[in-house]
Amino acid sequence: MTGFGVSATHGFPDTQLISYEEMLRRATLIVSALSEVPCIGDGDTGYGTPVNVKRTVKGYAQAGLAAVMIEDQVSPKRCGHTKGKDVVSKDEACVRIKAACDARDEGSDILILARTDARAVFGVDEAIDRCKKFNEIGADITFLEAPENVEEMRRFCSEVPGYKLANMLEHGKTPILSPKELGEMGYTIAAYPLTLLSASINSMQLALQRLKEGESCEGLLVPFKEVQRVVGFPEYYMEEERYKI
């Protein structure tokens, strides 16, 4: 569950115009629609003080998310591949992650994904150092956002212990590598946060243009039967039949 995606569905850019409560509601809906697929939720900056961070972690855990991402940007934060980013001090960033880990250790069944955006502000050395400290504090997964070349990605993987996430944002700042290449480099998780959104926008714009010009959208569409399957009609029919009088 990406902050960019949730913001986009509300008609906003990813500049923290969406609140904690709105993200929590969306998390509840997403998790309820999944059966065996774990979902990572974007917790942005934790939405305030370290006490707010703990509330965010506990709320996301109660919603059923498998992991929550907490980052070190100043508030209001923004997409990691856009301009205008800034980060809090290293000490403040570490306190945020400690609060998140404390919430987990106090009984919240959720993993902590600690993210730094320091690469764009202070350089890769500072970003790697922050990830090391996040790992020492107890973060389950670390995420160095927007490395700008393969060498920086290799350094992150070789110098920071523990599980690591790669953000594969097409046309962003980071080189796009295959899952195999990322795994060999040392990454554990690969996220493709905008792939489906971008592909959907492309398809919708093309379909709208064809409709405007009076052309058929055939070739862009899946069969109606497949639409029904994806949204859950077969399962509903089974339940309906089960309780038929």
Side-chain angles (χ1 to χ4, degrees):
M1 180 186 76
T2 72
F4 195 115
V6 175
S7 296
T9 61
H10 283 76
F12 298 128
D14 182 17
T15 51
Q16 208 167 0
L17 293 170
I18 299 297
S19 69
Y20 162 70
E21 288 293 342
E22 288 170 305
M23 291 291 286
L24 184 62
R25 285 199 298 271
R26 186 57 57 88
T28 302
L29 289 172
I30 290 172
V31 172
S32 69
L34 300 173
S35 53
E36 300 176 356
V37 180
C39 182
I40 299 172
D42 191 346
D44 291 325
T45 60
Y47 305 101
T49 70
V51 178
N52 293 91
V53 173
K54 292 184 75 172
R55 181 188 181 217
T56 298
V57 172
K58 291 177 180 179
Y60 277 28
Q62 290 168 354
L65 290 170
V68 55
M69 182 174 73
I70 301 294
E71 64 188 68
D72 62 358
Q73 283 197 50
V74 299
S75 184
K77 58 85 61 182
R78 60 192 60 209
C79 169
H81 291 254
T82 58
K83 66 179 182 179
K85 289 196 307 180
D86 199 2
V87 294
V88 298
S89 70
K90 187 182 299 179
D91 288 343
E92 185 174 346
C94 289
V95 169
R96 277 186 193 171
I97 302 308
K98 184 179 187 309
C101 292
D102 286 347
R104 174 201 62 200
D105 296 342
E106 289 167 9
S108 297
D109 185 15
I110 195 167
L111 298 178
I112 304 303
L113 168 57
R115 161 180 162 176
T116 182
D117 284 76
R119 166 63 185 87
V121 183
F122 298 118
V124 70
D125 290 340
E126 172 69 10
I128 288 174
D129 188 58
R130 290 190 182 210
C131 285
K132 287 180 181 177
K133 290 196 173 347
F134 296 164
N135 177 264
E136 292 169 5
I137 290 167
D140 301 288
I141 311 159
T142 55
F143 168 23
L144 193 162
E145 172 65 303
E148 296 187 2
N149 54 60
V150 170
E151 180 55 34
E152 291 183 359
M153 298 170 76
R154 291 190 191 282
R155 280 195 59 193
F156 170 49
C157 288
S158 65
E159 297 179 30
V160 180
Y163 299 110
K164 290 170 279 286
L165 179 143
N167 191 24
M168 296 288 95
L169 194 156
E170 295 87 353
H171 310 298
K173 296 183 177 181
T174 302
I176 302 298
L177 304 179
S178 70
K180 183 175 184 294
E181 290 173 309
L182 292 170
E184 290 173 349
M185 190 177 289
Y187 285 102
T188 317
I189 304 170
Y192 296 83
L194 297 186
T195 305
L196 297 183
L197 175 60
S198 182
S200 299
I201 291 171
N202 182 60
S203 295
M204 286 187 280
Q205 289 178 335
L206 182 56
L208 287 168
Q209 186 63 34
R210 288 192 182 183
L211 290 171
K212 181 180 178 181
E213 296 173 358
E215 299 177 2
S216 170
C217 290
E218 205 61 41
L220 299 177
L221 311 176
V222 298
F224 182 49
K225 195 169 206 178
E226 176 64 4
V227 175
Q228 294 178 74
R229 185 194 69 79
V230 169
V231 301
F233 272 98
E235 291 82 3
Y236 177 82
Y237 290 147
M238 288 176 61
E239 288 291 281
E240 188 177 52
E241 191 64 31
R242 180 182 178 189
Y243 295 108
K244 183 178 291 184
I245 298 175

